Amino acid sequence: MLALGLTADLTALLKDLYKRAGLAHAACLSDRTNRARSSMDRASDYGSEGWGFNSLRARHHHMGHPVAVQELKARLAGARAVAVLTGAGISADSGVPTFRGADGLWQTHRAEDLATPEAFARDPRLVWEWYNWRRELIATKSPNAAHYALVELERRVERFWLITQNVDGLHPVAGSQKLSEIHGNIWKVRCTQCGQVGTNRAVPILIPPRCPTCNGLLRPHIVWFGESLDPVDLERSFSAVRSCEVLLIVGTSGIVYPAASFASLAKEAGAFVAEVNLDPTPNTQIVDVAIQGRAKDIVPVLL
Ligand code: APR
């Protein structure tokens, strides 16, 4: 079963924290970190100014370079099978904070206190207060042009699948249907007693929320660090990534697994892989084209 994980530096930090906290799943991070480590090393060779035409495979372009945009647009227009992977960066233009950006959630909050099953067992009220704060924030946000452009791409492409790490629910609000929310959805709750999953859009939510069927304690229906992803979502995502002609990656730092393995998996399966992101990431060295810029500006012009 694949659990949610991170890159080398953060992994080392968390492994140390987990070890000190005696949490079970350090093992699941180790072998993946080595691969991340090697790609991070490669990324750091270039340094911020060195972005240009270095690697034999990857071509990197700043700010929606017309050549790269034209090439990606042509690839998308000619493809019969397209997979898309999104992260917090696609919702940043809607005003939803990212996790690791300058104003990122993990800059001001400790993941191990808020986004692990152990944290919830220790203090469900604290965890729910944090998710309530995020729900209140997200409730005021709307999809942006990048979300809507992906709805249009879904309409145009014969075999399309959208895989998002985001729990903000903005993709379904925009109209995306061929979608796997692999880390869950902040508007869904799950009973810790009977396991029933339901939708609860109350803002604020009554803390602690109770199951309408068995009165058990409800938890956010979100995949926390060290927890396994839903096997159906995972299988659906892997098969889309392995069978696509084009994989488009938008707004993710590419350090949390298993999603961080998708670029190389698609590449190994012969797909054309492209990244649209504000900053360089470990994926930047794997993809065929990397376009640096804001999702709301770049994704719509790819259609
Ligand atoms: N347009 C495009 N990219 C952007 C924008 C933007 N407007 N704003 C930020 N970005 C990029 C950042 O450069 C960064 O690389 O989006 C990325 C966001 O990275 P993270 O904050 O790490 O978010 P994400 O990759 O989605 O995190 C993965 O980690 O904390 C867990 O489960 C959580 O799903 C989350 C997972």
Side-chain angles (χ1 to χ4, degrees), residues 4-6 86-93 97-101 104 106 111 165-167 183 222-223 225 250-256 276-281 293-296:
L4 194 58
L6 299 171
T86 64
I90 197 170
S91 296
D93 296 321
T98 66
F99 290 92
R100 294 171 190 83
W106 298 149
Q165 300 167 87
N166 300 345
V167 298
H183 293 169
I222 283 178
V223 180
F225 288 110
V250 182
T252 179
S253 55
I255 61 171
V256 174
V276 173
N277 210 63
L278 206 51
D279 307 296
T281 74
R294 291 190 168 282
K296 71 174 174 56

Side-chain angles (χ1 to χ4, degrees), residues 5-213:
L6 299 171
T7 67
D9 307 350
L10 294 165
T11 308
L13 167 70
L14 261 182
K15 275 173 93 173
D16 176 45
L17 285 165
Y18 287 157
K19 279 211 181 73
R20 268 193 270 127
L23 296 172
H25 49 42
C28 100
L29 301 170
S30 59
D31 58 341
R32 295 182 178 90
T33 52
N34 303 334
R35 194 186 311 172
R37 184 76 244 150
S38 60
S39 67
M40 290 294 273
D41 288 342
R42 275 208 308 279
S44 55
D45 291 346
Y46 292 102
S48 58
E49 296 315 308
W51 297 116
F53 205 24
N54 286 327
S55 136
L56 289 174
R57 244 172 336 127
R59 293 185 296 284
H60 313 128
H61 297 279
H62 283 281
M63 302 317 281
H65 192 287
V67 175
V69 169
Q70 284 316 316
E71 177 170 3
L72 183 47
K73 191 173 175 171
R75 295 269 181 170
L76 289 168
R80 297 176 62 193
V82 171
V84 178
L85 171 66
T86 64
I90 197 170
S91 296
D93 296 321
S94 296
V96 179
T98 66
F99 290 92
R100 294 171 190 83
D103 62 347
L105 293 169
W106 298 149
Q107 305 298 348
T108 48
H109 302 84
R110 286 162 34 109
E112 64 277 11
D113 292 342
L114 297 162
T116 65
E118 294 74 20
F120 189 73
R122 229 180 5 253
D123 191 345
R125 174 169 288 282
L126 173 69
V127 172
W128 262 119
E129 279 162 1
W130 187 59
Y131 277 97
N132 188 49
W133 169 73
R134 289 181 65 192
R135 287 161 59 105
E136 287 181 347
L137 188 151
I138 292 168
T140 64
K141 309 300 183 225
S142 306
N144 62 62
H147 294 100
Y148 289 114
L150 294 180
V151 174
E152 176 57 19
L153 191 59
E154 176 181 330
R155 197 185 61 73
R156 292 184 186 183
V157 177
E158 191 182 322
R159 285 188 292 123
F160 176 92
W161 203 257
L162 171 57
I163 307 155
T164 188
Q165 300 167 87
N166 300 345
V167 298
D168 57 31
L170 292 183
H171 282 303
V173 170
S176 290
Q177 293 176 352
K178 297 178 183 171
L179 167 71
S180 292
E181 296 176 298
I182 59 171
H183 293 169
N185 183 304
I186 205 163
W187 303 112
K188 291 189 178 167
V189 291
R190 184 166 84 241
C191 178
T192 56
Q193 209 160 278
C194 70
Q196 184 178 299
V197 174
T199 297
N200 177 318
R201 298 189 73 93
V203 175
I205 191 168
L206 189 66
I207 298 175
R210 291 277 162 197
C211 174
T213 308

